[in-house]
């Protein structure tokens, strides 16, 4: 008697009242492996160019608000002759906004990739 292949395993098969821990775990693992294989065949990994583009977008998403905060802070410091009174906090605020934006963008991409 031969064992069924993972492709033959019905994912909606109900088990009777008996407990078959090892066989249930094996069947579940086989179903998961088959499902992952099908998903990988349907949707291949993004190319290297796509990944590099994503890294570039993340970089600019963080750098632009940081530099914008620094430029505005420097202008305010020169205008009011206050040393780095405005530059330092606006630099930090710009970095915080950039990091938050990058975080949100990454989560949108992850959610979109899973759909």
């Amino acid at each position: 008697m031969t064992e069924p292949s993972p492709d033959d395993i019905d994912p909606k098969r109900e088990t009777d009242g008996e407990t078959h821990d090892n066989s249930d775990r094996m069947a579940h693992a086989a179903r998961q492996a088959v499902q992952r294989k099908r998903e990988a065949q349907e949707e291949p990994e993004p190319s290297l160019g796509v990944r590099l583009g994503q890294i570039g977008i993340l970089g600019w998403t963080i750098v632009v608000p940081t530099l914008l905060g620094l430029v505005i802070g420097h202008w305010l410091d020169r205008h009011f002759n206050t040393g780095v009174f405005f530059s330092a906090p606006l630099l930090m605020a710009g970095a915080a906004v950039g990091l938050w934006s990058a975080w949100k963008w990454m989560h949108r991409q992850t959610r979109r990739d899973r759909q």
Side-chain angles (χ1 to χ4, degrees):
M1 178 185 236
T2 62
E3 294 281 328
S5 71
D7 292 330
D8 296 334
I9 297 174
D10 181 14
K12 295 180 180 153
R13 180 182 61 113
E14 292 187 22
T15 59
D16 39 352
E18 302 173 22
T19 59
H20 297 102
D21 284 342
N22 286 339
S23 64
D24 286 345
R25 283 190 222 162
M26 287 289 273
H28 181 69
R31 286 191 296 272
Q32 284 182 330
V34 168
Q35 183 64 28
R36 281 192 299 265
K37 183 177 179 181
R38 284 185 187 139
E39 288 172 0
Q41 288 173 344
E42 291 171 4
E43 250 183 81
E45 270 298 305
S47 68
L48 178 63
V50 170
R51 292 294 187 202
L52 290 174
Q54 290 174 338
I55 292 169
I57 289 171
L58 282 175
W60 283 110
T61 301
I62 296 168
V63 168
V64 168
T66 303
L67 289 178
L68 192 59
L70 183 63
V71 167
I72 292 170
H74 183 69
W75 180 81
L76 287 171
D77 285 335
R78 284 184 28 175
H79 188 298
F80 294 114
N81 198 20
T82 55
V84 293
F85 183 78
F86 291 108
S87 295
L90 289 178
L91 172 72
M92 297 298 178
V97 167
L99 290 168
W100 178 79
S101 297
W103 179 267
K104 296 301 277 183
W105 184 83
M106 287 186 337
H107 279 279
R108 278 194 306 265
Q109 291 297 313
T110 304
R111 210 174 312 126
R112 190 188 73 180
D113 289 344
R114 288 183 184 169
Q115 290 179 352

